[in-house]
Amino acid sequence: MMQQTSWNLHLYPRGSEDPDFIALFLKRCDNCSGPEKIALNFELSILDANGRDLESEKIELNDLEFQKSASHGISDFFERPKNIREDRVFTLDILRVRCTMWIDEGEVDKEVLSYAKTRIGHEKISFINTIESFATLKPNLKITFDVTSVSKDALKLSGNVYVRSEPGSEDEVMVEISLDSQNAHLITCQICMLNSAGKEVECGEGEVDKEDLSYAKTRIALENISFINTIESFATLKPNQKITFNVTSVSKDALKLSGNVYVRSEPCSEDEVKVEISLDSQNAHLITCQICMLNSAGKEVECGKIDTRNDLCRKSTLVAPLNFEKSNLLDEKHEYLPNDKLTLRCECTLSTGIEFQSIEETFY
């Protein structure tokens, strides 16, 4: 190296002052040989995968000299791409930089090209987190979780899931994540929801530094129960007379649904057909229920729905009025009441608690 000096190139992918810019500095080593001061010029460059310049900046110090341990560079050298995965600067997740150094005075007796590579160690942790009773989660109530990696460092992640509620704005589902480590830093996090079929639905990703927030995967365990209930002699059903039904799921939890079908009669109002449904469980909760009538041809006609996902308070019994009044059904009895029977198909979705809570997979 020039006049027996030694140098370091300091790269800050997340900036030294502004995290939106890549910072790059040339520093003379503390204990290097050579003169106490040396005057030189240098050029900093960002390269693409083919070695072509994407951004270059010459720094001519003029009368400014490098003393030992001195450094000079640019804090806002290159603006970070919004999408690193698709940007040509970070091809294959590699950032390439170049520093060219020269002295104006004297003769150049030799040109030297040196290469350096820095590899940052990564650990990837994938886990599933399930939020119970999501429909009844109170605004700004934080549900905590903790995850420990299975690597020898046993890195610990902790965080919260909550619904942020502010006046004049829509409720947002937020996830906080923090990393309890002095030596490791949280870089990125991808979040997916698992739907009722177990398929992943992407719902957020971000890049963070040590103090930032990120997202965690969340899974709500669900069970679907579908059953048919038939009310005989519907035309002679007395007002407010309740016809009960009971259903038990075939899952290992054997969840029990019970309910009533009746015609609510009140003075000065049309008779309404109502369906009540209750779930006998301390650990599972009724989320939605879709109700259909089966007509004389056996085809389904949607006639009612229960949805508690936006309810703040949990109810032990849910009531759904049908879209058809009793008089309407009797007027169309050949269509909807074959043999004076009202046949309803109910499809209920239940939240059954924690399905899985552990480290799903760890990559190295």
Side-chain angles (χ1 to χ4, degrees):
M1 190 60 71
M2 295 179 293
Q3 300 183 22
Q4 290 77 50
T5 56
S6 55
W7 304 80
N8 286 329
L9 190 61
H10 285 197
L11 172 65
Y12 301 86
R14 294 182 176 276
S16 59
E17 298 176 2
D18 188 339
D20 292 333
F21 287 86
I22 297 170
L24 197 55
F25 293 86
L26 177 64
K27 179 181 179 181
R28 186 178 176 187
C29 296
D30 299 349
N31 56 354
C32 74
S33 302
E36 288 297 319
K37 298 179 180 180
I38 181 171
L40 56 80
N41 299 318
F42 62 97
E43 181 181 35
L44 302 174
S45 303
I46 295 264
L47 309 178
D48 64 13
N50 297 317
R52 294 188 292 264
D53 290 3
L54 293 176
E55 182 77 17
S56 292
E57 187 74 29
K58 288 185 179 180
I59 300 177
E60 298 180 352
L61 300 180
N62 297 323
D63 296 332
L64 187 61
E65 297 177 316
F66 271 98
Q67 296 180 336
K68 293 181 180 180
S69 76
S71 66
H72 299 284
I74 305 173
S75 60
D76 56 350
F77 178 59
F78 190 81
E79 187 173 4
R80 284 177 56 82
K82 299 300 182 183
N83 191 334
I84 288 179
R85 293 183 179 181
E86 299 179 0
D87 196 275
R88 58 176 180 161
V89 175
F90 289 87
T91 307
L92 299 178
D93 203 22
I94 297 173
L95 175 61
R96 300 168 179 84
V97 298
R98 182 185 64 205
C99 178
T100 305
M101 306 160 58
W102 69 93
I103 298 176
D104 279 346
E105 298 179 356
E107 296 182 358
V108 177
D109 56 353
K110 181 170 60 176
E111 291 186 0
V112 178
L113 183 62
S114 302
Y115 292 91
K117 178 183 289 186
T118 300
R119 175 172 289 177
I120 300 173
H122 287 85
E123 178 176 345
K124 294 183 178 179
I125 302 174
S126 178
F127 62 94
I128 290 179
N129 185 37
T130 301
I131 309 303
E132 291 186 301
S133 306
F134 181 80
T136 59
L137 192 63
K138 295 180 180 179
N140 302 312
L141 173 63
K142 294 187 177 182
I143 307 299
T144 63
F145 61 87
D146 297 281
V147 178
T148 302
S149 73
V150 296
S151 67
K152 63 179 181 179
D153 297 321
L155 298 174
K156 295 182 179 180
L157 289 170
S158 62
N160 305 288
V161 181
Y162 62 100
V163 178
R164 185 174 68 180
S165 181
E166 295 181 353
S169 62
E170 296 288 338
D171 290 350
E172 291 182 297
V173 180
M174 306 293 292
V175 182
E176 298 176 347
I177 286 190
S178 59
L179 175 63
D180 184 14
S181 174
Q182 296 296 319
N183 301 316
H185 308 286
L186 188 59
I187 304 300
T188 64
C189 194
Q190 174 77 40
I191 177 173
C192 296
M193 288 192 302
L194 299 185
N195 63 16
S196 57
K199 294 184 178 181
E200 292 188 350
V201 180
E202 293 187 4
C203 54
E205 76 172 341
E207 296 180 29
V208 298
D209 57 26
K210 188 176 180 182
E211 289 77 24
D212 281 340
L213 306 180
S214 190
Y215 299 87
K217 291 183 180 179
T218 301
R219 180 171 184 165
I220 300 175
L222 300 174
E223 179 176 343
N224 292 325
I225 300 176
S226 180
F227 61 92
I228 291 178
N229 185 38
T230 301
I231 295 88
E232 297 186 352
S233 305
F234 181 80
T236 58
L237 189 64
K238 296 179 181 180
N240 301 313
Q241 176 189 356
K242 294 188 176 182
I243 307 300
T244 62
F245 60 86
N246 295 281
V247 178
T248 302
S249 73
V250 296
S251 67
K252 63 179 181 179
D253 298 321
L255 298 174
K256 295 182 179 180
L257 286 171
S258 62
N260 304 287
V261 179
Y262 62 99
V263 177
R264 189 178 71 172
S265 179
E266 294 182 353
C268 302
S269 65
E270 295 289 341
D271 292 345
E272 289 184 301
V273 182
K274 297 275 192 176
V275 178
E276 294 179 347
I277 295 184
S278 301
L279 175 63
D280 183 14
S281 174
Q282 296 296 319
N283 300 317
H285 310 290
L286 184 60
I287 304 300
T288 64
C289 189
Q290 181 72 48
I291 303 171
C292 298
M293 285 193 304
L294 299 184
N295 64 15
S296 57
K299 293 183 179 181
E300 294 184 354
V301 180
E302 292 185 4
C303 58
K305 185 175 182 179
I306 300 172
D307 192 337
T308 68
R309 288 174 292 183
N310 295 325
D311 293 351
L312 295 179
C313 298
R314 186 182 306 157
K315 299 176 182 178
S316 57
T317 301
L318 303 177
V319 181
L322 302 191
N323 298 336
F324 295 85
E325 297 168 350
K326 183 179 180 179
S327 58
N328 300 138
L329 296 175
L330 293 175
D331 290 341
E332 302 289 339
K333 60 182 180 181
H334 295 294
E335 176 72 14
Y336 300 120
L337 300 173
N339 300 319
D340 200 19
K341 295 179 181 180
L342 174 64
T343 303
L344 301 176
R345 189 181 76 83
C346 302
E347 184 172 348
C348 299
T349 301
L350 316 176
S351 171
T352 57
I354 296 177
E355 185 176 44
F356 182 81
Q357 191 174 49
S358 179
I359 297 177
E360 182 186 40
E361 197 171 8
T362 302
F363 303 91
Y364 302 97

